[in-house]
Amino acid sequence: MCPPAETNGTNGHVNGTVNGTNGNHEGYSAIQTNQNPHPHSSSPYRPVGDFLSNVSRFKIIESTLREGEQFANAYFDLEAKMKIAQALDDFGVDYIELTSPAASEQSRLDCEAICRLKNEKFKTAKILTHVRCHMDDARIAVETGVDGVDVVIGTSSYLREHSHGKDMTYIKNTAIEVIEFVKSKGLEIRFSSEDSFRSDLVDLLSIYSAVDKIGVNRVGIADTVGCASPRQVYDLVRTLRGVVHCDIETHFHNDSGCAIANAYCALEAGATHIDTSVLGIGERNGITPLGGLMARMIVADRDYVLSKYNVKKLKEIEDMVADYVEVNIPFNNYITGFCAFTHKAGIHAKAILNNPSTYEIINPADFGMSRYVHFASRLTGWNAIKSRADQLDLQMTDAQIKLCTAKIKALADVRKIAIDDTDSIIRAFYHNLHSQEERPLLEGLSAEEVKKFQIAEEKEKAELTGTKEKRQLEEQVEAEAEVPATKKTRTAAVA
Ligand SMILES: N[C@@H](CCCC[NH3+])C(=O)O
Ligand SMILES: [Zn+2]
C-alpha cells in the first residue's frame, strides 16, 4: 500500500477547499507553499526620493460608499454601508467618503448613522460627504455630523455647457461662498474640479489659487472620463503643486486603464491624497481600486504601507463588497485574484521553490495570501513534482522524480490533467518502484489515448534525458528501487 496522502497542510486546498485565502482554487492543480523568505528589508525597487514625491506619505480617501454607490450593480442598504464602513476603518483608511445627503432622504439618514458609528467605534477614519458646489447642498451636509465636506463642480467646457451651464466666474464665486460657510462650521473642506484634464489650465489654476488663498484644506483634480495618461497627470499635479499650499487630492477613472499608474504619478508629483474604491467600483468601469493601489504602493514603500494599513483585511473587504454588488473577484485581480501568486512554468516553479523573490515582487504573506506552484500541466517541471512528492511523503531520488515527471507531462500532452491525476501518477510510480506490481495508471483512457500517451511518454523521456542518458537513468532508478525505501529527512523543498 502506498502511504496515506499526508500533504503537509495542503490537503484541503488540493481537494478543492481553499486552505489559504486566495479564493476559488477548486480543482486547481497547485501546491500551496508555506514559507515566505522574501527579504524583510525594503524593496530594492524603491523610487528615487525627491522633494515633491509623497509616495511614502500618501493618504487614502476611500469612496466605495460614494463613487462605489454609482457602480451599475451597487445597492447598499444601511446595514451594508455600516459593515463596509467598519471594515474600511479596520483596514486603516484615512477617510471614508459618503454619498451626498442631498441625494435622497435615506442617503441623509445613512450619512448621519455612519457618523454616529464613527464616533462610537472608529479608530482612524474620518467621514466626508461629497456634494455639489452649491450652498443648498452644503447646508445639508454640515448638519449630518461629518468631519468634512468634499465639494465638486465641472470645469471643462463639456460640463459647463452641457451639464450645469455655469461660467468660471459663477463657479469661483460659489466655491468661495461654500468654502467659507463650511469652514465657519469648523469642518474640513475640499474643492474639486470635475473633468480636470479637459479643463482650461488657466481656469483651473486661477480657481485653485483663489480657494487656496481663503484656506481650503484640499483641492481636487479629477480625471472624470479616464482620459489622462501618467505623464499628463504628473505635469498637471506638479504645476498645481507650485501654485497652491494646501493638500492635493486626486481621483482617476479607469476607462483607459491608467487609474493606478495615474495615482502613483500624482503622488510622485506631489499629490497628497488618492481616491479609491474597493475593487475599483464606480461609474462605468470605475476608479483606482484600493487593492491595486496597495499592490503598487507596497512595491514602492513596503514599510509605510504595512505601518499604516492593515492589508491582511483586503481579501475580506473585497469579498464583502463583491457579495453586496454581486460580482466575482476577477481572476487577475491585484493581490487577491485566484492566480495572483500561482506559478506554473517549470522554470518559474523551480526558481520560486528556491527563492520566491525570483518571480514575485509582492510577498503574498503580507496580505495573508498563499503562494501556489502549479504541478499538473505539460509545462510542469521536476522540481514542482519533487515538492509535491515530498508533500505526499513519497521519498524518491531526483532521477526517479524526473522519470515520474516525464509520465505526468506525457499524460498532460494527451488531455488536461487535474491534481488527482498527478497525484495518482506520483503514487503509482512510487508504488511500482517498491512493489513491481503494475498500477492502473491509464485507467479510463481509450485505446487510442493509451497509444498516444505511450508515444508522448517515449518522446518526453527522450527529450528529458537523451537516449544514452535515459538508459543510465533507468538503470539508476532500478538500482535505487532495490534498496529498501528509507525515510529521508524532509527537506524544505517547498519554499
Ligand atoms: N466622480 C466625480 C467626482 C470627482 C471628485 C473627486 N474626488 C468625478 O469623477 O469627477
Ligand atoms: Zn468619479
Side-chain angles (χ1 to χ4, degrees), residues 65-101:
L65 295 178
R66 195 281 297 171
E67 178 78 46
E69 207 179 6
Q70 296 171 224
F71 172 55
N73 245 21
Y75 173 79
F76 300 133
D77 60 17
L78 178 57
E79 190 193 340
K81 288 184 183 179
M82 302 272 262
K83 288 207 170 121
I84 293 170
Q86 184 63 61
L88 290 171
D89 181 61
D90 293 343
F91 186 91
V93 302
D94 303 272
Y95 292 91
I96 293 172
E97 186 178 68
L98 304 178
T99 292
S100 168

Side-chain angles (χ1 to χ4, degrees), residues 66-67 130 152 190 192 194 222 224 249 251 253 275:
R66 195 281 297 171
E67 178 78 46
H130 182 267
V152 67
R190 179 222 68 194
S192 182
E194 201 182 15
T224 305
E249 173 182 340
H251 178 98
H253 277 261
D275 290 4

Side-chain angles (χ1 to χ4, degrees), residues 146-197:
V146 293
D147 299 291
V149 181
D150 286 348
V151 298
V152 67
I153 189 160
T155 46
S156 67
S157 60
Y158 289 101
L159 297 186
R160 281 192 284 116
E161 285 165 30
H162 304 291
S163 177
H164 55 68
K166 306 290 194 290
D167 62 20
M168 286 310 294
T169 309
Y170 171 92
I171 292 172
K172 193 183 289 184
N173 291 340
T174 312
I176 289 171
E177 187 185 7
V178 169
I179 291 163
E180 285 180 336
F181 170 71
V182 174
K183 276 175 67 75
S184 75
K185 300 290 178 182
L187 302 183
E188 269 187 39
I189 175 76
R190 179 222 68 194
F191 171 83
S192 182
S193 60
E194 201 182 15
D195 204 6
S196 317
F197 289 87

Side-chain angles (χ1 to χ4, degrees), residues 220-234:
I221 288 179
D223 182 16
T224 305
V225 296
C227 63
S229 69
R231 186 170 175 163
Q232 288 172 315
V233 169
Y234 191 91

Side-chain angles (χ1 to χ4, degrees), residues 307-324:
S307 69
K308 200 160 167 220
Y309 300 111
N310 191 0
V311 295
K312 287 197 169 70
K313 295 258 175 204
L314 181 65
K315 174 99 174 61
E316 193 182 311
I317 298 177
E318 289 189 345
D319 285 345
M320 181 196 294
V321 171
D323 270 358
Y324 282 131

